[in-house]
Amino acid sequence: MADGEEPEKKRRRIEELAEKMAVDSGHGDSTGDWDGRWNHVRKFLERSGPFTHPDFEPSTESLQFLLETCKILVIGAGGLGCELLKNLALSGFRNIHVVDMDTIDVSNLNRQFLFRAKDVGRPKADVAADFVNSRIPGCSVVPHFKKIQDFDETFYKQFHIIVCGLDSIVARRWMNGMLMSLLSFDDGVLDPSSIIPLIDGGTEGFKGNARVILPGMTACIDCTLELYPPQINFPMCTIASMPRLPEHCIEYVRILLWPKEEPFGDGTALDGDNPEHIQWVFHKAQERASEFSITGVTYRLTQGVVKRIIPAVASTNAVIAAACAMEVFKIASSAYIPLNNYLVFNDVDGLYTYTFEAERKENCPACSQIAQDLRFPPSAKLQEVLEYLTENASLQMKSPAITATLEGKNKTLYLQTVASIEQRTRPNLSKTLKELGLVDGQELAVADVTTPQTVLFKLRFTT
Amino acid sequence: MLELWEVLRQFFWRYRKRSSSRLWGDHGQDALENAHVCVINATATGTELLKNLVLPGIGAFTIVDGHKASGEDVGNNFFLSIDSIGKSRAQAATELLQELNSDVSGNFVEETPDKLLDNDPEFFHRFSLVIGVQLEESTCLRLGAVLWNAGVPFLACRTYGLVGYMRLAVREHTVIESHPDNALEDLRLDQPFTELKNHVQSYNLDNMEKKHHSHTPWIIIVAKYLEKWYNEHNFQLPKNYKEKESFRELIRNGILQNENGVPEDEENFEEAIKNVNTALNPTKISRLVQEIFDGEECKNITSQTPAFWIMARAVKEFVESEGGGNLPVRGTIPDMIADSEKFINLQNVYREKAMQDALLVAKHVESLLQSVGKPPESITEQDIKLFCKNAAFLRVVHCRSLADEYSVESLNKDEITSCMDSPDCEMVLYLMLRSIDRFHQQHSRYPGVYNYQVEEDIGKLKLCVNSLLQEYGLNVNVKDDYIHEFCRYGASEPHTVASFLGGCAAQEAIKIITHHSLTLDEEEKWTNWTPARKAVV
């Protein structure tokens, strides 16, 4: 080019000067940083650009905010969690908490790369935190070997952004509900400082999705519950008397034989990760299969059916966690406009990805602040209401507990999770709503594992 | 303590094999474990990619990298530590990746790819796949030419700021297991083979107890009613919507009625009615598969011909003789309402026919192998069975060489120009990447690496963009915003983007190695600043 040739000396001098300018010289030693450590990140924080978020202002302080102040919570230290921790730490986040209630199992080792054979049995959160903290100096990941339900608002309030790498829809919904409960309204107007963004990632085999949720503003988990269809089960009659496929034989053992024979002791649940359990199921399934001349029962099919798993793929977790971490970075730094708001990814056949804006549901039970209507005739039995709560695609509750205010007192109509109360309230299921003393317009409060707050419903009698 | 680890490790090894083979089949898992992948440059993109290959158990990897790890490198790379600064990047990364999976053999060569190409280009011939990460354009083209001629698949990957880019260059990628989502069943109801005809014959729907009537597989029901239909319609299949509706009615009228004339609940009949549409699809060979049969490789079998083409030729010969114009029977049927005995008997009819057909194909394979002087064991019975089972879904992907892409004559100008009609389509990213390479050629550096350079370089980069467009005769407009953005990137490699690309690239690598499903048709790129999109060139 015309002005490309600069004298060697001058070029070298300028380069040295530039070195100083590109590297943040002030905080070199105190935080254990070395020259050039954050070069890749800084280009997005200290330079203006044509596609940045309208609120973005280049500054050297942004990096300090990420390093010293910004607090991120990672939920899950499994396939997605390990990737998330690594990605966040290498993007400049240092104050990270991670919650996971599991311990490490041998089956995790082929993708949860922070764990080694010697770690089996230890809590995932602890081992993940140790590994990241030692590999990435200055990073301080604080582990919590707990369930998300063990914490309340005081814990969750302290974070700037929460990112989930969960494998359970119930847990997602609970988290979603928790963040909804933190929202505060001034005269019906949402206070933006009470919003904690939730980045949610999920994977299943070669498919995955990443989404950005701004509680109170964008679609929440419950708004799009129909995207998670309930699992299809084989009909009981097929399993019990007319099996045709090896899967039917395995389900037969899982559903009927195991509870009957309790091969590993009273009340011991079938554990898909326990090879002895699977071995037992496998042999019994083979016996059943040979009775019906069915072929194809293998150990790995047995395990797949028992765990209902689609095998996890390291690369899908990598992609989704990277997308999520990128969103965390964008939101924390205002560097770019965040994903709006749902990314779908699939690389089983070539590479497919698609983004759309999931819409808020007007009457979403979790985020709409409107009491849901329950329409039943007064002659309907409480059992029907219970079934509706569990089977309806937008509610999908697991074991709802229903209470109502009757004659000025709070009365539990039905509760499943405590045996004594279940027994006491069971007769109510076969009583009609009228018999139970419920009236039109009555408020029913429903509690369930899918949400930390009770959901209010309004009973509307139909004729 | 040590023994426990050893036991766990062994169990884990078996488990890892098992769980991986659920993803790619035993076949795929074997291919993975026998593969040796070369990754050039252990930058964050390279190590993230390798992580995703090492974890599922690739046989071996070799990192080729002549650089020493810098402070900047360690800052974005999980597989370099603070102790790695100043040391061989190849060695440091190999050590930290190796410990993810002791069954994988990790190797490194502390050398630049250019040096290797100068002194020992055949070095690269030994690999199942070569992945070039963050390569300079000239190196990339040199390497591309060597690998193209040697028939070694080459995947070029690049993370540039928020842009990720992958380019596959392999002459031919054959796919046996392509996992199509909407595959039609192979039921042969329009052309029942003898054994199927006989089996259907053994049923007499008009004279059955209710419990047998209600548990007869829908395939039998459709076959039976098709016979009735043929008698009244001159042996013609129901063709249009009206006829299919009549056919469905015919079946519906076959549902048993109780003493009051009310139809019983016969779910198997409902299934039959529901499946009429697809069940009556004429059995035929798809155009894509026919193209494979008509291909040059299929016609000229030599001792160098890969197994895929020998088997394709064998199937073609089968189609033209014993198959009577049809592919070997697939042998599977969908699950359906039926009692166990009826279902399994029906399933066995298809299964046994499939086995017979596969044996006939095997005979063709044997004589083809003999004709080129190769032993019959070169292609196993298992391979042939798998091939036959997937005969309807065979795919061949051809890529263009890098040389073709870069040559002025053969660049796909029309495609580029039409994409650029919307100036924000991903094609602009491709043009920008080509432009920054041009910049590098001229200035021996990338634009905007240092803060003070950003503004100046915008003008210089723009000149590169224009000269590129001119040289290739591309009459398109590249917005200034993109030129600014690419200067802003300063050739950075943010970890999240590297990790995203590493995930995608590893998956493509696995597909190439295991000859599975369709892989990218040459190129994919996307950006992270708006949500990820894809483009294909």
Side-chain angles (χ1 to χ4, degrees):
Chain A
M1 302 315 303
D3 55 357
E5 288 297 310
E6 298 177 76
E8 257 305 300
K9 250 196 199 161
K10 183 179 177 194
R11 191 170 67 78
R12 238 181 279 142
R13 215 176 351 114
I14 291 177
E15 262 185 324
E16 275 172 56
L17 184 67
E19 195 103 40
K20 292 207 175 75
M21 290 167 68
V23 172
D24 186 357
S25 49
H27 302 256
D29 298 297
S30 55
T31 41
D33 281 340
W34 53 86
D35 269 0
R37 183 178 191 183
W38 301 112
N39 279 1
H40 294 285
V41 173
R42 291 232 240 112
K43 287 170 181 152
F44 298 94
L45 300 174
E46 296 170 5
R47 299 175 172 193
S48 62
F51 297 107
T52 57
H53 194 285
D55 293 344
F56 176 74
E57 272 183 39
S59 127
T60 49
E61 282 161 26
S62 311
L63 181 63
Q64 293 323 301
F65 171 70
L66 294 188
L67 291 171
E68 289 163 16
T69 317
C70 193
K71 228 164 164 183
I72 310 288
L73 175 63
V74 174
I75 315 251
L80 282 171
C82 288
E83 290 277 345
L84 284 168
L85 290 171
K86 159 183 71 74
N87 294 343
L88 293 170
L90 289 172
S91 300
F93 296 95
R94 286 185 149 153
N95 294 299
I96 307 172
H97 287 235
V98 62
V99 175
D100 194 307
M101 62 185 199
D102 275 339
T103 54
I104 297 165
D105 174 79
V106 154
S107 65
N108 304 140
L109 301 178
N110 71 342
R111 65 200 174 286
Q112 297 171 26
F113 61 92
L114 299 177
F115 312 142
R116 303 281 176 268
K118 63 177 169 50
D119 300 318
V120 172
R122 286 184 61 200
K124 288 188 181 184
D126 291 351
V127 177
D130 282 346
F131 199 121
V132 173
N133 292 339
S134 77
R135 181 64 60 87
I136 301 179
C139 190
S140 149
V141 179
V142 176
H144 301 275
F145 175 37
K146 291 215 155 78
K147 300 200 291 290
I148 49 174
Q149 293 87 352
D150 292 336
F151 296 104
D152 63 17
E153 324 85 63
T154 47
F155 176 75
Y156 291 108
K157 263 211 283 230
Q158 61 179 306
F159 298 103
H160 291 95
I161 302 171
I162 298 182
V163 56
C164 288
L166 290 164
D167 58 1
S168 140
I169 296 165
V170 169
R172 276 187 177 88
R173 293 176 68 187
W174 192 92
M175 207 51 235
N176 186 65
M178 167 53 71
L179 294 186
M180 294 303 156
S181 74
L182 296 178
L183 297 175
S184 65
F185 294 82
D186 286 322
D187 287 327
V189 177
L190 178 60
D191 172 13
S193 67
S194 66
I195 300 176
I196 299 181
L198 174 66
I199 318 289
D200 179 68
T203 60
E204 205 173 49
F206 298 103
K207 302 186 194 174
N209 58 72
R211 57 192 301 188
V212 172
I213 294 170
L214 300 174
M217 291 178 63
T218 64
C220 77
I221 303 275
D222 279 47
C223 290
T224 54
L225 206 51
E226 290 94 5
L227 291 177
Y228 303 107
Q231 295 215 294
I232 306 166
N233 295 309
F234 299 117
M236 249 345 247
C237 56
T238 305
I239 295 175
S241 48
M242 271 188 290
R244 299 178 294 270
L245 302 177
E247 287 87 340
H248 299 155
C249 302
I250 298 165
E251 285 285 74
Y252 171 82
V253 178
R254 182 181 76 89
I255 298 174
L256 297 172
L257 270 193
W258 179 282
K260 198 167 89 170
E261 296 188 23
E262 297 201 296
F264 290 88
D266 283 352
T268 307
L270 173 52
D271 177 4
D273 288 317
N274 183 331
E276 288 183 64
H277 290 199
I278 300 293
Q279 196 71 16
W280 188 88
V281 174
F282 171 48
H283 282 135
K284 291 288 177 182
Q286 276 182 317
E287 278 170 20
R288 177 139 177 103
S290 64
E291 256 183 74
F292 290 86
S293 309
I294 297 173
T295 58
V297 176
T298 62
Y299 183 97
R300 75 175 194 230
L301 182 68
T302 305
Q303 182 155 42
V305 171
V306 169
K307 293 181 76 172
R308 295 172 179 278
I309 53 174
I310 295 171
V313 188
S315 49
T316 319
N317 282 337
V319 168
I320 296 301
C324 288
M326 191 69 210
E327 295 308 313
V328 175
F329 181 82
K330 284 189 211 168
I331 292 174
S333 66
S334 291
Y336 287 94
I337 298 171
L339 169 71
N340 185 19
N341 56 44
Y342 200 113
L343 169 80
V344 166
F345 176 84
N346 184 339
D347 67 357
V348 78
D349 227 17
L351 208 111
Y352 170 79
T353 155
Y354 170 66
T355 303
F356 68 98
E357 185 178 342
E359 283 176 8
R360 277 188 88 174
K361 219 167 167 191
E362 249 179 66
N363 57 348
C364 173
C367 75
S368 68
Q369 313 277 322
I370 306 172
Q372 304 291 298
D373 273 353
L374 281 179
R375 290 177 193 278
F376 287 93
S379 54
K381 306 220 169 71
L382 187 64
Q383 175 74 42
E384 290 170 54
V385 177
L386 194 75
E387 277 167 10
Y388 175 79
L389 292 172
T390 49
E391 287 163 22
N392 177 273
S394 1
L395 292 175
Q396 290 187 49
M397 294 193 164
K398 298 295 163 197
S399 46
I402 313 174
T403 58
T405 306
L406 290 166
E407 294 160 5
K409 284 189 246 159
N410 217 10
K411 185 174 176 201
T412 303
L413 296 175
Y414 182 69
L415 189 147
Q416 213 173 321
T417 48
V418 178
S420 56
I421 305 181
E422 199 280 326
Q423 244 185 343
R424 181 170 59 78
T425 54
R426 203 185 307 155
N428 288 342
L429 290 177
S430 39
K431 295 199 182 138
T432 67
L433 300 180
K434 190 167 170 199
E435 283 172 345
L436 288 167
L438 301 173
V439 300
D440 185 39
Q442 175 106 39
E443 254 187 15
L444 295 176
V446 180
D448 186 54
V449 293
T450 50
T451 164
Q453 291 173 289
T454 45
V455 184
L456 286 177
F457 290 90
K458 253 199 164 65
L459 186 59
R460 298 254 179 250
F461 279 158
T462 57
T463 39
Chain B
M1 192 60 154
L2 228 84
E3 285 162 11
L4 179 62
W5 293 7
E6 204 22 59
V7 169
L8 285 172
R9 196 189 75 79
Q10 293 222 6
F11 177 82
F12 164 52
W13 176 79
R14 268 183 281 132
Y15 178 88
R16 200 211 289 266
K17 271 175 82 84
R18 271 201 288 266
S19 87
S20 283
S21 40
R22 275 194 68 211
L23 288 167
W24 303 299
D26 287 324
H27 237 79
Q29 188 61 21
D30 283 340
L32 203 63
E33 286 167 13
N34 289 322
H36 188 169
V37 170
C38 175
V39 173
I40 304 175
N41 288 330
T43 68
T45 308
T47 56
E48 287 297 303
L49 197 161
L50 270 170
K51 157 176 68 61
N52 299 323
L53 293 177
V54 167
L55 287 172
I58 194 136
F61 68 86
T62 295
I63 295 181
V64 168
D65 193 344
H67 296 90
K68 301 278 184 227
S70 68
E72 195 177 275
D73 288 337
V74 177
N76 79 344
N77 194 328
F78 193 76
F79 297 94
L80 294 174
S81 71
I82 188 175
D83 302 322
S84 317
I85 298 182
K87 305 211 180 105
S88 153
R89 199 166 67 176
Q91 179 169 14
T94 301
E95 280 164 12
L96 292 181
L97 283 164
Q98 176 73 85
E99 56 136 5
L100 290 175
N101 186 348
S102 51
D103 294 323
V104 174
S105 160
N107 313 282
F108 66 93
V109 172
E110 214 183 317
E111 192 58 272
T112 65
D114 277 307
K115 261 282 166 49
L116 284 172
L117 286 168
D118 288 337
N119 301 328
D120 179 23
E122 302 204 353
F123 167 81
F124 294 104
H125 293 193
R126 78 195 67 182
F127 299 109
S128 332
L129 168 67
V130 174
I131 305 175
V133 174
Q134 313 292 79
L135 292 176
E136 276 175 32
E137 186 179 83
S138 56
T139 313
C140 198
L141 289 172
R142 271 184 87 190
L143 186 59
V146 165
L147 296 175
W148 185 264
N149 291 328
V152 176
F154 177 40
L155 183 63
C157 297
R158 188 176 210 170
T159 300
Y160 199 89
L162 295 190
V163 178
Y165 171 88
M166 282 201 277
R167 168 47 156 119
L168 175 64
V170 59
R171 278 187 198 272
E172 180 182 275
H173 176 70
T174 55
V175 182
I176 297 171
E177 294 179 88
S178 65
H179 305 293
D181 263 334
N182 297 317
L184 290 172
E185 301 286 345
D186 184 24
L187 302 177
R188 305 289 167 117
L189 284 167
D190 62 328
Q191 302 182 41
F193 44 92
T194 313
E195 295 85 342
L196 179 60
K197 262 196 251 194
N198 293 340
H199 186 73
V200 172
Q201 210 52 260
S202 71
Y203 280 82
N204 184 353
L205 287 179
D206 298 324
N207 228 342
M208 277 175 129
E209 269 178 50
K210 175 170 184 318
K211 80 168 180 196
H212 287 294
H213 197 261
S214 307
H215 289 98
T216 298
W218 71 254
I219 291 178
I220 305 284
I221 296 173
V222 171
K224 279 290 192 194
Y225 280 89
L226 199 55
E227 278 171 24
K228 280 206 171 91
W229 176 275
Y230 278 154
N231 284 335
E232 294 159 24
H233 289 84
N234 204 17
F235 298 95
Q236 297 287 314
L237 278 172
K239 284 196 209 43
N240 49 39
Y241 178 76
K242 199 161 150 217
E243 290 187 353
K244 287 185 182 171
E245 260 307 288
S246 301
F247 186 62
R248 278 188 276 263
E249 261 316 292
L250 191 64
I251 297 177
R252 188 171 287 288
N253 290 335
I255 296 179
L256 288 179
Q257 295 177 354
N258 65 14
E259 53 286 348
N260 298 330
V262 176
E264 302 273 19
D265 195 11
E266 298 206 283
E267 273 184 75
N268 57 335
F269 271 75
E270 298 297 339
E271 268 188 341
I273 291 165
K274 206 164 63 159
N275 280 289
V276 158
N277 248 343
T278 49
L280 299 182
N281 270 334
T283 304
K284 64 175 190 227
I285 300 178
S286 78
R287 180 184 55 85
L288 289 169
V289 173
Q290 191 59 52
E291 274 172 18
I292 291 175
F293 289 157
D294 295 336
E296 276 309 303
E297 298 96 322
C298 211
K299 295 203 179 115
N300 306 320
I301 304 292
T302 70
S303 57
Q304 304 302 317
T305 306
F308 178 92
W309 292 105
I310 295 185
M311 289 190 283
R313 171 66 175 268
V315 171
K316 178 181 179 190
E317 289 175 1
F318 169 89
V319 167
E320 290 165 357
S321 54
E322 303 102 330
N326 289 324
L327 294 170
V329 167
R330 195 178 310 159
T332 58
I333 58 174
D335 190 27
M336 59 193 73
I337 309 254
D339 62 54
S340 317
E341 196 182 320
K342 293 192 183 59
F343 179 82
I344 296 187
N345 287 341
L346 179 61
Q347 193 181 54
N348 283 338
V349 168
Y350 282 91
R351 220 184 240 161
E352 274 153 24
K353 178 70 172 151
M355 280 199 287
Q356 270 177 40
D357 284 355
L359 278 174
L360 291 169
V361 169
K363 286 215 167 61
H364 287 280
V365 170
E366 199 180 311
S367 71
L368 283 166
L369 286 172
Q370 215 171 45
S371 76
V372 292
K374 291 185 93 165
E377 308 84 61
S378 322
I379 299 180
T380 68
E381 189 185 301
Q382 214 183 8
D383 286 336
I384 298 172
K385 278 206 177 112
L386 189 71
F387 196 89
C388 288
K389 189 167 172 210
N390 286 283
F393 313 123
L394 302 172
R395 292 285 180 274
V396 179
V397 175
H398 289 113
C399 300
R400 283 197 310 158
S401 68
L402 288 175
D404 272 351
E405 178 189 340
Y406 279 69
S407 104
V408 174
E409 294 84 42
S410 46
L411 177 78
N412 199 340
K413 287 202 262 283
D414 292 334
E415 174 92 34
I416 295 178
T417 313
S418 74
C419 279
M420 288 300 289
D421 275 341
S422 35
D424 294 308
C425 87
E426 290 82 16
M427 190 58 72
V428 74
L429 304 177
Y430 174 76
L431 294 173
M432 285 313 307
L433 287 173
R434 293 287 302 265
S435 304
I436 54 112
D437 274 337
R438 196 161 272 239
F439 187 105
H440 188 272
Q441 224 174 40
Q442 282 160 12
H443 302 276
S444 302
R445 63 178 179 84
Y446 289 106
V449 173
Y450 297 112
N451 287 345
Y452 82 93
Q453 292 171 326
V454 179
E455 221 170 294
E456 265 180 46
D457 284 349
I458 293 175
K460 294 182 190 162
L461 184 56
K462 185 160 187 171
L463 290 170
C464 292
V465 172
N466 290 337
S467 90
L468 175 82
L469 296 177
Q470 205 174 43
E471 183 178 323
Y472 285 90
L474 291 166
N475 191 6
V476 300
N477 179 43
V478 172
K479 280 156 78 166
D480 283 348
D481 278 348
Y482 290 101
I483 301 177
H484 182 176
E485 182 74 355
F486 271 69
C487 283
R488 180 182 195 231
Y489 290 160
S492 62
E493 193 185 4
H495 181 84
T496 47
V497 185
S499 189
F500 189 103
L501 181 56
C504 297
Q507 194 50 32
E508 292 312 303
I510 291 175
K511 286 180 202 168
I512 293 163
I513 293 166
T514 60
H515 283 275
H516 258 60
S517 29
L518 294 175
T519 184
L520 8 134
D521 230 305
E522 288 190 25
E523 278 184 349
E524 297 282 335
K525 64 184 84 67
W526 60 87
T527 103
N528 242 309
W529 78 76
T530 50
R533 290 157 10 210
K534 93 175 172 93
V536 174
V537 163

